[in-house]
Amino acid sequence: MGIREDVYYEGGPHVGDLILNCLLGLTVVCLPLTVGAIVRAIWLRYRITDRRISVTGGWMGRDRSDVIYSEMASVVAVPRGLGSWGDMVVTLKDGSRLELRAMPKFREVANYISERIAAKASKKAST
């Protein structure tokens, strides 16, 4: 039996990212952005729990990254789509980064992740 995790968010990128990039795809210049948005909409999935962040993506959803909160140093969120969705970058203690693109409710998710990072840091400092 595995360890129980409470899921805070599970799903894919914001639908508005796909719609906006498809509209931009009407111009030939923005076709790469449209293809990227379609691939994200089909194969990218996020799962944020009280223990970790899991990102499943890549070609046909074959790549998966799992990061626990004790490995994270910071999180930065940038709004897109008039603030309806945003991109987030989670910086790990070893200097590597995990990108979460077109995240719905990105402000709430960034706050949730920041709280977990701070809780793990204070828990580690007290021991």
Side-chain angles (χ1 to χ4, degrees):
M1 187 166 153
I3 297 173
R4 181 174 162 78
E5 294 183 56
D6 294 324
V7 177
Y8 179 76
Y9 175 78
E10 187 169 15
H14 195 277
V15 175
D17 179 56
L18 177 64
I19 293 169
L20 178 65
N21 282 302
C22 285
L23 291 174
L24 290 174
L26 297 174
T27 66
V28 176
V29 175
C30 294
L31 279 178
L33 298 175
T34 303
V35 171
I38 292 169
V39 168
R40 278 193 302 272
I42 294 172
W43 291 312
L44 183 63
R45 294 293 171 259
Y46 303 117
R47 181 179 167 97
I48 299 171
T49 69
D50 59 342
R51 296 183 45 86
R52 68 180 141 181
I53 297 174
S54 298
V55 179
T56 305
W59 187 251
M60 298 184 67
R62 293 184 182 155
D63 298 330
R64 181 174 167 164
S65 298
D66 289 313
V67 181
I68 58 175
Y69 291 110
S70 62
E71 295 177 357
M72 298 177 200
S74 66
V75 61
V76 177
V78 178
R80 290 195 310 141
L82 301 174
S84 298
W85 66 90
D87 294 342
M88 294 183 356
V89 176
V90 177
T91 305
L92 306 181
K93 291 181 179 176
D94 67 358
S96 59
R97 293 180 171 93
L98 177 66
E99 292 185 11
L100 298 110
R101 295 185 176 256
M103 175 65 83
K105 300 190 290 182
F106 71 100
R107 288 182 182 95
E108 293 88 357
V109 172
N111 289 337
Y112 181 81
I113 293 170
S114 294
E115 290 170 5
R116 297 297 166 282
I117 293 171
K120 293 292 182 183
S122 66
K123 188 185 245 184
K124 210 173 224 183
S126 65
T127 56

